[in-house]
Amino acid sequence: MTSAFESSTEPATPPKSDAIARREFRLFKWGTILALALGCAWPLTLNLVDPDLWGHVQYGQDWLAEGQLPRTATHTFTAEGFRWINHENIAELALAYGYENVGGPGMLVAKCLIGMAVVLSMVWIATLRGTNPYIAWVWMLVVTTNLQPFFLLRPQLLSFVYCAVTLVLLDRAFCHWQQRREVRWGLLWLLPVVVALWVNSHGGFLAGLAIIGAYLGGRILELLLSHPSAGPPRGPGMLEASVPPAEASRLALSNINRSKVALLALVGVACLAATFVNPYGLEMHRWLATSLSQPRPEITEWLAPHPGDPVFWPWLTMITIAGVSLLASTRRRDWVEIAILLLVVWQSAMHLRHVAFVALLCGYWIAPHLQSALGHLLPSGAAKGGLVALSPRMRRGAVVALLAVIALQSFAIDERLKSFPVDRGRYPVDALQFMADRQLDGRLVASFNWAQYAIAALAPDVTLAFDGRYDTCYPTEVVDMHFDFLLGEADGKRWRGPDSGPIDGTRVLKHGDPDLVLIDRLYDNPRNIMQAESEKTNPQWVLLYRDRVAELWGSSDRFNDPTSHDYLPQELRVQDPGPRDGAVPWPALPIHITGNQLASERPQTPANDAQL
């Protein structure tokens, strides 16, 4: 397709202005590419804090400090000694290293650069397949918009990188497949290495393994269908003596295809075997089989997309454009790619966390078909004219406007990458500072999304009842106990293990004898439970702290008994009804006060401004 900027019929211009017009044309052409690239970079600079980031960094730091991989659950009092299948070890080591060496903003920059490397590889593959760079970059805007909600600092990032590497290797290994069934085996044998790294970085390796298996299986099926085997010759010399030349050629091709089938199958087996290259061996696979067989209605990313989700409409737009492009395209369609894309779209319709994998597949496979489809929609003379058809003044105005857009994009990206805010209206920044100020310790029940923040902020003095590691290191009964407290019946949408007993939101307050309870006030069920507990004749829990975001309750025996060493008098308890405006830079850890530091020397925080 001819670009709108590349006109074969330039208007007559004075000879002295030809060089200027050409320079302006080149500047506008490359400026447009840069503006589109910056537009793709913007979604990848998302600087929201993932609730599990604190834990990922902490676990990586723990491993580095101890010098060995923990085999049982850490930082918990409900799963001590319980096995821990941590399938994100490489990712957590990388996050810990990044935190210690470049800090939060540095990790945001690295995240954006990683994302843009993936996007550049998509554009590269698209141009190798004959796509106009402008169309490729415009399509990348759709792809990165769909990646944005999932592009946080979390182990999933490595899944996206490994998936991108896998798709590039498959594309380049089979780039001559349609013409002469040729395979570049050196590239294909890199796939088991990718899988071995992936299995130790994030559970998304299962999606990658499924894509590899489907792709190789599709190519094997093509070989089996294209040249059916007639069987080998019946004895030495039979091929030359009794087989016609055409039949001999067919048998030779059949033998070659059988060899390719065997090698492709061997690559697939090697990829499967690579999943056992992990610290847990077969135990990881047993855990996966159990974990994936259990529904997860409490986890948002495992739910189906619906119109209220921010990801829904971009996802629907992307798959609609992809579907129309494939239907309207005049290019040869690869049925293996289409089959895999349909399977992953189906999975994304069931679990929204798979939307990111749909975006990655569309990024590598759809651009050429989009260009072909657009060729039917554009008028025949749409490519004529272009920038050079404008007057010199209008050309310079267009170039200046484009440069202004690039400058604004660069400024916005720079400002976003410099800030990694922890929203005080979403996270218990002030409640954790209160705990640090009062040196509260012990066994803590914390809301699911805050637990790993609490670990990073208060460990080792505080251990948790449950956190975002979910069933990798917690028994099903503990998982269900927590969500009984957090969600209750949830209108019958819960799934619970067969040994968890009836729903009882108070069990978590007794299991393991917790000392403290930190609840998110957005959830009605825990607020109602704690309020009911406080209204009993002999309440076991007393309110120590409350603001608009969080409530902290303590055991009456420890914190409400004047004879107790941990007694917290009324004047040191806090109730602050003011809004929690603003944010603090990640990691937003509390300032810990030493035992001999005077109260007057403590930093004044919103947590100790208002008293009960």
Side-chain angles (χ1 to χ4, degrees):
M1 174 180 289
T2 304
S3 167
F5 306 119
E6 299 173 334
S7 173
S8 59
T9 57
E10 299 187 8
T13 55
K16 293 182 179 180
S17 63
D18 284 351
I20 296 176
R22 285 194 295 271
R23 284 198 301 269
E24 290 171 347
F25 167 70
R26 287 193 298 269
L27 183 60
F28 196 85
K29 180 174 68 173
W30 290 108
T32 300
I33 294 291
L34 178 58
L36 290 171
L38 291 173
C40 293
W42 173 255
L44 306 178
T45 62
L46 184 65
N47 59 352
L48 294 179
V49 176
D50 183 76
D52 292 339
L53 177 58
W54 286 278
H56 293 311
V57 172
Q58 182 68 52
Y59 309 141
Q61 290 177 320
D62 290 346
W63 187 0
L64 293 173
E66 294 293 330
Q68 59 182 355
L69 175 68
R71 295 288 180 163
T72 58
T74 58
H75 304 291
T76 176
F77 66 90
T78 62
E80 290 182 275
F82 193 75
R83 62 100 182 101
W84 181 12
I85 306 294
N86 188 355
H87 56 293
E88 298 172 338
N89 286 311
I90 291 178
E92 290 176 349
L93 288 173
L95 289 169
Y97 179 85
Y99 168 64
E100 293 177 356
N101 289 276
V102 299
M107 289 196 293
L108 288 179
V109 172
K111 175 175 74 77
C112 181
L113 292 176
I114 289 170
M116 285 306 296
V118 172
V119 171
L120 284 170
S121 71
M122 292 176 179
V123 173
W124 175 58
I125 293 297
T127 54
L128 288 177
R129 292 186 173 197
T131 308
N132 185 292
Y134 299 107
I135 291 178
W137 278 107
V138 169
W139 178 235
M140 292 306 113
L141 292 174
V142 178
V143 170
T144 54
T145 299
N146 278 272
L147 284 175
Q148 177 177 247
F150 309 95
F151 222 77
L152 303 172
L153 276 171
R154 55 193 303 190
Q156 281 87 333
L157 281 178
L158 287 186
S159 266
F160 303 154
V161 172
Y162 293 134
C163 184
V165 172
T166 296
L167 294 174
V168 169
L169 289 176
L170 288 172
D171 183 89
R172 294 297 84 202
F174 290 93
C175 59
H176 300 302
W177 180 260
Q178 301 298 346
Q179 296 81 13
R180 49 184 183 268
R181 292 292 189 261
E182 182 180 305
V183 181
R184 299 167 73 179
W185 296 103
L187 293 176
L188 212 55
W189 279 109
L190 292 175
L191 289 176
V193 179
V194 175
V195 173
L197 292 171
W198 200 342
V199 74
N200 291 285
S201 302
H202 184 248
F205 79 90
L206 287 172
L209 196 64
I211 291 172
I212 292 171
Y215 199 100
L216 296 180
R219 298 307 184 207
I220 288 173
L221 185 59
E222 286 180 326
L223 287 173
L224 294 176
L225 294 178
S226 59
H227 295 287
S229 174
R234 289 173 292 180
M238 291 296 294
L239 183 61
E240 294 81 359
S242 60
V243 180
E247 182 68 8
S249 176
R250 191 176 72 83
L251 288 173
L253 284 173
S254 178
N255 290 331
I256 292 173
N257 284 345
R258 279 199 298 270
S259 175
K260 289 179 180 178
V261 166
L263 284 173
L264 290 175
L266 187 60
V267 172
V269 171
C271 289
L272 184 62
T275 64
F276 291 89
V277 184
N278 70 79
Y280 317 99
L282 185 60
E283 187 62 25
M284 174 179 280
H285 297 73
R286 290 180 180 143
W287 166 75
L288 280 170
T290 302
S291 181
L292 293 176
S293 66
Q294 299 171 351
R296 300 182 181 183
E298 300 91 355
I299 308 301
T300 304
E301 286 191 350
W302 284 97
L303 301 179
H306 61 83
D309 290 326
V311 76
F312 179 83
W313 294 109
W315 166 72
L316 187 61
T317 300
M318 178 178 64
I319 60 176
T320 300
I321 294 174
V324 171
S325 299
L326 287 169
L327 289 172
S329 176
T330 58
R331 295 176 60 96
R332 182 172 183 172
R333 303 169 188 83
D334 190 322
W335 74 270
V336 173
E337 292 179 354
I338 292 175
I340 294 173
L341 184 58
L342 288 174
L343 287 171
V344 180
V345 168
W346 166 60
Q347 281 296 301
S348 70
M350 298 176 64
H351 311 293
L352 63 84
R353 69 182 300 155
H354 292 108
V355 169
F357 289 101
V358 177
L360 290 169
L361 294 178
C362 287
Y364 285 102
W365 293 345
I366 296 301
H369 301 289
L370 174 63
Q371 174 173 288
S372 178
L374 287 174
H376 299 298
L377 300 176
L378 294 175
S380 58
K384 301 298 181 182
L387 182 70
V388 294
L390 301 176
S391 67
R393 179 176 298 179
M394 294 184 68
R395 283 201 308 270
R396 289 166 195 150
V399 170
V400 170
L402 180 60
L403 293 176
V405 168
I406 292 172
L408 289 173
Q409 288 176 306
S410 302
F411 175 78
I413 289 173
D414 178 66
E415 288 297 306
R416 201 178 196 186
L417 290 175
K418 289 191 299 186
S419 173
F420 197 17
V422 178
D423 185 358
R424 291 176 60 224
R426 180 183 176 190
Y427 289 103
V429 176
D430 300 322
L432 293 181
Q433 183 63 59
F434 170 85
M435 294 180 68
D437 287 345
R438 274 59 175 180
Q439 299 181 356
L440 303 183
D441 57 15
R443 297 176 293 275
L444 173 67
V445 175
S447 291
F448 178 62
N449 284 341
W450 291 351
Q452 299 197 64
Y453 182 15
I455 288 174
L458 304 171
D461 298 327
V462 171
T463 53
L464 274 291
F466 180 69
D467 62 74
R469 288 174 288 182
Y470 208 77
D471 59 356
T472 64
C473 71
Y474 286 100
T476 303
E477 295 82 0
V478 173
V479 176
D480 291 339
M481 194 183 305
H482 176 81
F483 286 112
D484 287 351
F485 177 66
L486 189 67
L487 302 174
E489 296 279 355
D491 299 324
K493 298 178 181 178
R494 296 281 311 285
W495 182 92
R496 305 173 77 257
D499 300 325
S500 296
I503 292 178
D504 181 359
T506 64
R507 286 180 62 201
V508 75
L509 304 177
K510 306 166 188 173
H511 185 75
D513 296 323
D515 304 293
L516 298 158
V517 179
L518 178 65
I519 63 174
D520 185 342
R521 300 194 76 229
L522 286 176
Y523 293 88
D524 293 333
N525 201 63
R527 285 196 296 113
N528 294 337
I529 289 175
M530 298 309 298
Q531 185 62 36
E533 289 288 317
S534 69
E535 293 172 355
K536 291 181 176 179
T537 305
N538 294 310
Q540 299 299 307
W541 297 94
V542 60
L543 181 64
L544 304 179
Y545 176 92
R546 174 188 286 155
D547 61 28
R548 289 194 182 182
V549 178
E551 291 181 6
L552 179 68
W553 295 75
S555 167
S556 295
D557 292 341
R558 277 192 63 184
F559 302 105
N560 209 39
D561 182 356
T563 64
S564 170
H565 174 73
D566 298 312
Y567 173 63
L568 195 68
Q570 289 289 332
E571 61 268 20
L572 292 182
R573 303 177 191 179
V574 169
Q575 180 159 308
D576 185 358
R580 323 318 285 178
D581 295 329
V584 292
W586 185 87
L589 300 180
I591 301 171
H592 288 271
I593 307 300
T594 59
N596 59 358
Q597 192 170 4
L598 297 176
S600 60
E601 296 174 328
R602 295 181 179 184
Q604 290 301 305
T605 66
N608 49 39
D609 286 342
Q611 308 298 325
L612 279 174

